[in-house]
Amino acid sequence: MKSIEIIGFKRANLDSGELKSLREEGNVPCVVYGPAIKEQIHFHTPAILFRDLIYTPDVHMVDLNIEGNKMKAVLKDAQFHPVSEVLLHADFLAFSEDRAIKIEIPVEILGTAPGIQKGGKLEFKTRKLLVKGLASNLPDKIKVDISKLDLGKSFKVSELKAEGYEILTSPNVSIVSIGIPRALRGKKAE
């Protein structure tokens, strides 16, 4: 799995005035917590470092470096301003490489479905799946081959083969389906 380094600086003052000045300087207030560290650490980091972490369909491990204190983490939550959509706060979950973690992995579609060639429409039901496993075993993307899907058919989580990790999303959930357009439904009725 890909990783990104984020360099942070500890912050001792947690009041709202301090947060406002940090944001005005182009920084994002953050917190890291989890079983891999003794107590949570409040820090800030330049907002530009989040560009390749948040604004991408890929999932990344994060190599946090907070004033020389290095740890592995994943982005757990990001809060945005409701109007300007500026990143306001980020939460990281620190983990140790010998314990399983839960994370959402994006789905990648492979192949061309016969149902699409007949005029059907590819409909995404879910774009990410919740998985659990050691960080070293987690894939960058979960590949879904749709080359056998015909009109009205769907690909379910139960059809996936997970090696080295466990898929926690319900096996009955459809990942993609081939929708039948209204024009084709009318022809079948005739």
Side-chain angles (χ1 to χ4, degrees), residues 151-168:
L151 288 170
K153 302 295 181 190
S154 62
F155 191 100
K156 296 188 184 283
V157 172
S158 60
E159 298 175 54
L160 290 171
K161 305 287 185 266
E163 294 180 21
Y165 61 94
E166 177 185 356
I167 299 175
L168 299 178

Side-chain angles (χ1 to χ4, degrees), residues 1 59 61 76 100-107 128-135 137-142 157 160-170:
M1 182 170 287
V59 68
M61 295 293 159
K76 198 67 177 168
I101 60 170
K102 292 180 186 176
I103 191 168
E104 286 189 323
I105 305 285
V107 171
K128 291 184 177 182
L129 300 175
L130 183 64
V131 301
K132 179 180 179 181
L134 297 176
N137 294 340
L138 296 178
D140 289 334
K141 294 180 180 168
I142 296 175
V157 172
L160 290 171
K161 305 287 185 266
E163 294 180 21
Y165 61 94
E166 177 185 356
I167 299 175
L168 299 178
T169 304
S170 171

Side-chain angles (χ1 to χ4, degrees), residues 87-88 93-94 99 122 143 180:
L87 181 61
L88 296 177
L93 176 66
R99 292 186 64 184
L122 181 67
K143 297 177 184 337
I180 303 171

Side-chain angles (χ1 to χ4, degrees), residues 109-130:
I109 301 299
L110 301 174
T112 304
I116 293 174
Q117 294 172 334
K118 294 177 184 175
K121 181 181 177 193
L122 181 67
E123 297 173 350
F124 267 96
K125 303 296 184 183
T126 184
R127 293 187 182 271
K128 291 184 177 182
L129 300 175
L130 183 64

Side-chain angles (χ1 to χ4, degrees), residues 3-73:
S3 67
I4 289 180
E5 183 178 27
I6 291 194
I7 299 168
F9 306 94
K10 287 184 182 175
R11 56 187 176 101
N13 192 352
L14 302 177
D15 66 11
S16 60
E18 169 85 10
L19 294 176
K20 185 176 180 183
S21 66
L22 279 173
R23 291 181 182 121
E24 287 173 352
E25 295 168 2
N27 292 307
V28 177
C30 304
V31 65
V32 61
Y33 50 83
I37 58 175
K38 292 181 178 114
E39 59 185 46
Q40 64 183 8
I41 302 169
H42 294 273
F43 66 100
H44 65 88
T45 188
I48 192 76
L49 295 180
F50 285 93
R51 185 181 65 223
D52 294 333
L53 180 63
I54 292 180
Y55 305 106
T56 176
D58 299 332
V59 68
H60 295 86
M61 295 293 159
V62 178
D63 294 320
L64 278 178
N65 183 350
I66 304 169
E67 295 181 5
N69 185 6
K70 295 181 180 182
M71 65 195 81
K72 295 273 189 192

